[in-house]
Amino acid sequence: MNERTIELTEISPKEFWGAQDAHLILLKKLYPRLKIVSRGSFLKIYGEEEVLDEFEKKFVRLLKYFIRYNRIDENAIERLVMDSEIPQINALDEILVHGVNGKLIKAMTQNQQKLVKYVNQNDMVFAVGPAGTGKTYTGVALAVRALKNKEVKRIILTRPAVEAGENLGFLPGDMKEKLDPYMQPLYDALRDMIPAQTLEDYIAKGVIQIAPLAFMRGRTLDNAFVILDEAQNTTHSQMKMFLTRMGKSAKFIITGDPGQIDLPRKVSSGLKEALVVLKDVEGIGMLYLDDKDIVRHKLVKRIVNAYKVLDDRENQIIDTFKKTDA
């Protein structure tokens, strides 16, 4: 049996392996053909030469990731180990925003980095993918960066006010108070990137505007970085209305998850339609993120995949019925 020894230099082994050696346990599961033993700052690996070569290459990627971001989690480990393509880690080093309390906001996956690239190259970008892939968060970071660099004069964040199984009409307060909780994910992202008092001032002065999609009607959005979030819940007319609000020196990002549509059953998603209608339009970028980009808790990835299996089964049943009827 062949043996390799890797020394963990410049990092704390305790922090790298995580609570109760969770990261080490995960690596052992990912490489069942190897015997992996951790002793202090040294890692000993036993197994076949070919598998050892692969492990060592992937482990170096894990170390580089940890050194650059000062953290690593099980989601990142799975992504860096299981991806067939080698992530361009240097490309992920670009800091988008210096956030609150020294937090560095960066693109954390290859597709998030592609989103940065697409926004740099296009004035309008569609970013589509499941929950937790960082579509909105990365988009907000790009908007904040553009504002700080004086590339735009204002940020406009909007969502279609679709009631996802809940009735907003029964909530207390005026329209703003009813809708603010629904817009909370956008506020949360901004609070990571802009100090509280500055954010409050920006909102009071209209430099940053957060509003339901219906409030966009009739406006021309010049010199603005505009993000339409949860776009899967737009109708045909809402999507067309929004896209035609684009003014001079504007950037538009449209994000959504076609797998989480809350519209009535017979109403078509404006996002799905736009992806087909606009796919060949010059100046529009389209990016599809997937479960490899999920940066939330590791269970989110498993949940997304489980529901995908269910959706595939339902689609197969529907297709079978259609063929039978024909």
Side-chain angles (χ1 to χ4, degrees), residues 55-71:
F55 176 87
E56 191 167 4
K57 181 174 69 175
K58 298 289 180 70
F59 192 76
V60 168
R61 289 162 61 180
L62 296 180
L63 291 175
K64 286 182 177 179
Y65 184 99
F66 183 83
I67 290 169
R68 281 175 167 81
Y69 296 108
N70 293 317
R71 66 182 181 86

Side-chain angles (χ1 to χ4, degrees), residues 16-30:
F16 182 78
W17 293 127
Q20 299 179 331
D21 289 338
H23 301 161
L24 178 61
I25 292 169
L26 176 58
L27 276 180
K28 290 179 178 181
K29 288 181 180 178
L30 294 173

Side-chain angles (χ1 to χ4, degrees), residues 120-138:
N120 289 338
Q121 295 175 342
N122 301 278
D123 287 335
M124 182 179 291
V125 175
F126 286 79
V128 179
T133 50
K135 308 179 295 296
T136 302
Y137 196 83
T138 305

Side-chain angles (χ1 to χ4, degrees), residues 95 97-105 148 191-195:
I95 298 171
V97 177
H98 290 270
V100 176
N101 297 324
K103 184 173 184 178
L104 301 180
I105 313 297
K148 288 185 174 181
R191 289 190 185 104
D192 272 0
M193 304 172 199
I194 302 175

